[in-house]
């Protein structure tokens, strides 16, 4: 198929990847947690690593953040090897962690004012507070914040140094639906400003809503990469045609549902085909099949 | 507005010293907002002084030197160890368990800046603690305070070396200890053993010879002896095992511990719990 062949990449664009990973591997006591991942994240996109718990998402991200050593493969983040990179590089990436890093006794404003002093060009605290919707909570102690507010503070700390690339590791785990929606709006705002975002999640709807492209990780491997609507290309083209015949349910899985329908309509010249439906697999079906295939195929 | 008031665009992140100074402010603020820690570090030495004062009353260790005056030296040295070694050792492991240190690592915080913040906080809190202790000793118990500048100079270098060695050894111990739970059990226990070994609770010349030799390995012993040379008259030096104040050896041993602790920290400091 010549149509899917990609044009040669112009040299100027080769460096326009925020993250480039080849054959990434990490083992814990002999067990491969990351087992040969290839990954490219383009500048300006929101990329979601989607996978079940224990798939190796967090380990992959921690290697890219430069806080965990890899056992094999190559990694380049903003043009540098994260295992070698220094402070100037760290100031160009942002990480949203599970902790503010300064305990709970400070107020929101004090926390932001303190960490502003770690960055070359911090966002002014007032602007940051407004961006994440914490202006009214600025004088509250961190202890007194709700779970959603605390997450906003962590996001504010992650973007305080104006990062080119932001890592979000399972950012909405444990959030209520309202807080999740607000959080998504926050990430969309970052994308609009040109920040590249690499997020991990085990929520399908989150990946579908936020990401320009989704990489499905299972058993330490990347099993598919595509925009959310195109994930699992071949799996998706299969449709299931269901109807009722002589009182019994019938179904056919086919890549050519139109042909099946023509036969069915010909067999029912009188009109209606009882119980007729044609369904394409949704994101969840595709995802579950991708994950299952990877887990049944241990290397 | 002059042109210099507009900050030039910076490309490099602030220096380790600059972040370290910001961290001193942060550490002091967090310390002041932890009532338990404040009460402990200020009240403990004073309570020890009250207990020793009540138990021994006006008895004398050597002619002209009361028990309160004698033990003030040990209590001051203990206070320095508690606010440096014990507080830093347990505090760092707690911060690591909470994920605060992992967060600092992703920010690119230089380990040196973190160390500067700890040391700065220890210096300020220790100085305040010693001021309270000496004030209580002088005004409530009439313990005579040294009048010669040379004695206060000795006091200053003993305190500074004690703080530095305690801070780096606290950081070093935090690297070795696995979790905050084992740190909060083990470090105070170690501190108590050191206090007994190092003659905080005894007259130095009463200690068995072997115990004195073991104790001579640890910095607390030398801090206590240095403090005695500050608060006791020179006639009391006969009660030392060596029969003199040994200032040279004191400075050497404490400085050696500062260097050893710094090297161990630099080689073993961890931002994260072992996987």
């Amino acid at each position: 198929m010549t149509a899917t062949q990609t044009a040669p990449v112009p040299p100027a664009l080769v460096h326009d990847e925020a993250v480039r990973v080849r054959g990434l591997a990490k083992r814990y006591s002999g067990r491969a947690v990351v087992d040969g991942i290839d990954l490219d994240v383009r500048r300006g996109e929101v990329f979601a690593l989607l996978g079940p718990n224990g798939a190796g998402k967090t380990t992959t991200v921690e290697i890219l953040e430069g806080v965990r050593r890899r056992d094999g493969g190559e990694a380049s983040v903003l043009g540098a090897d994260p295992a070698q990179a220094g402070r100037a590089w760290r100031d160009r990436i942002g990480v949203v962690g599970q902790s503010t890093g300064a305990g709970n006794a400070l107020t929101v404003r004090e926390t932001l004012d303190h960490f502003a002093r770690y960055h070359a060009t911090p966002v002014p605290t007032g602007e940051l507070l407004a961006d994440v919707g914490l202006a009214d909570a600025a004088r509250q102690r961190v202890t007194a914040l709700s779970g959603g507010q605390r997450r906003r503070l962590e996001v504010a700390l992650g973007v305080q140094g104006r990062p080119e690339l932001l890592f979000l590791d399972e950012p909405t785990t444990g959030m209520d639906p309202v807080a999740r929606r607000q959080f998504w709006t926050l990430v969309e705002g970052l994308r609009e400003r040109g920040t590249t975002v690499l997020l991990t999640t085990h929520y399908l709807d989150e990946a579908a809503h936020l990401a320009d492209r989704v990489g499905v990780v299972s058993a330490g491997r990347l099993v598919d990469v595509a925009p959310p609507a195109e994930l699992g290309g071949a799996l998706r083209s299969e449709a299931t045609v269901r109807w009722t015949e002589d009182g019994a349910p019938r179904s056919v899985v086919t890549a050519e549902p139109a042909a099946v329908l023509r036969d069915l309509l010909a067999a029912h010249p009188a009109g209606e085909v009882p119980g007729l439906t044609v369904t394409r697999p949704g994101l969840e079906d595709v995802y579950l099949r991708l994950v299952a295939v990877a887990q049944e195929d241990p290397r | 507005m002059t042109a210099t008031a507009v900050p030039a665009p910076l490309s490099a992140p602030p220096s380790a010293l600059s972040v370290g100074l910001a961290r001193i402010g942060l550490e002091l603020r967090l310390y002041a907002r932890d009532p338990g820690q404040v009460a402990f570090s200020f009240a403990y030495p004073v309570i020890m002084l009250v207990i020793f004062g009540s138990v021994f009353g006006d008895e004398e260790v050597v002619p002209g030197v009361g028990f309160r005056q004698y033990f003030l030296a040990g209590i001051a040295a203990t206070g320095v160890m508690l606010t440096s070694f014990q507080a830093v050792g347990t505090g760092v492991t707690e911060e690591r368990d909470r994920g605060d240190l992992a967060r600092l690592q992703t920010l690119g915080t230089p380990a040196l800046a973190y160390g500067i913040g700890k040391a700065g906080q220890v210096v300020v809190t220790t100085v305040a603690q010693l001021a309270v202790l000496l004030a209580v000793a002088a005004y409530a118990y009439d313990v005579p305070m040294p009048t010669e500048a040379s004695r206060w100079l000795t006091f200053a270098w003993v305190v500074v070396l004690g703080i530095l060695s305690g801070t780096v050894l606290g950081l070093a111990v935090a690297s070795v200890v696995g979790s905050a739970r084992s740190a909060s059990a083990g470090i105070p226990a170690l501190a108590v053993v050191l206090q007994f070994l190092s003659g905080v609770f005894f007259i130095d010349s009463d200690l068995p010879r072997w115990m004195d030799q073991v104790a001579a390995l640890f910095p607390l012993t030398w801090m206590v002896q240095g403090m005695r040379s500050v608060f006791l008259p020179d006639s009391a030096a006969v009660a030392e095992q060596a029969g003199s104040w040994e200032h040279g050896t004191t400075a050497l041993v404490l400085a050696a511990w500062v260097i050893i602790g710094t090297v161990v920290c630099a080689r073993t400091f961890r931002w994260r719990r072992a996987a």
Side-chain angles (χ1 to χ4, degrees), chain B residues 58-77:
Chain B
D58 293 326
E59 292 174 50
E60 291 191 333
V61 181
V62 290
V65 178
F67 270 85
R68 291 189 192 109
Q69 187 178 355
Y70 189 88
F71 284 120
L72 176 62
I75 293 167

Side-chain angles (χ1 to χ4, degrees), chain A residues 62 65 67-68 87-88 90-91 95 97 99-103 105-107 110 114-115 117-121 141 157-158, chain B residues 10-16 18-19 21-23 26 29-30 33 98-100 103-110 272 275:
Chain A
E62 286 181 345
E65 290 168 358
V67 298
R68 219 170 263 291
R87 281 194 74 203
R90 283 199 190 277
D91 205 29
V95 176
S99 156
T100 64
L106 296 186
T107 68
E110 286 169 343
H114 173 71
F115 286 113
R117 298 177 66 179
Y118 292 54
H119 299 291
T121 50
R141 293 262 178 113
L157 290 168
Chain B
L10 299 166
S11 53
S15 69
S18 158
V19 176
L21 291 176
R23 287 205 61 84
L26 173 79
R29 190 173 259 171
L30 293 175
R33 289 185 188 173
R98 258 204 319 258
D100 288 358
R103 169 79 200 129
L104 294 181
Q105 182 190 23
T106 59
L107 267 175
T109 313
R272 283 157 193 268

Side-chain angles (χ1 to χ4, degrees), chain B residues 124-175:
Chain B
V124 173
T125 54
T126 306
V127 166
Q129 178 205 51
L130 289 172
V132 171
L133 176 69
L134 297 190
V136 171
Y139 295 110
Y141 289 103
D142 292 325
V143 174
M145 288 294 128
T147 48
E148 305 98 314
S150 65
R151 284 181 178 254
W152 287 112
L153 184 68
T154 306
F155 180 75
W157 68 253
V158 170
V159 169
V160 167
L161 286 176
I163 287 173
L164 288 178
S165 61
T167 304
V168 293
L169 290 174
L171 280 162
V173 159
S175 306

Side-chain angles (χ1 to χ4, degrees), chain A residues 9 18 35 85 92 99 158 181 250 254 264 276:
Chain A
V9 181
D35 193 8
R92 294 168 61 207
S99 156
R181 289 280 161 178
R250 294 280 309 274
T254 173
L264 274 175
L276 178 65

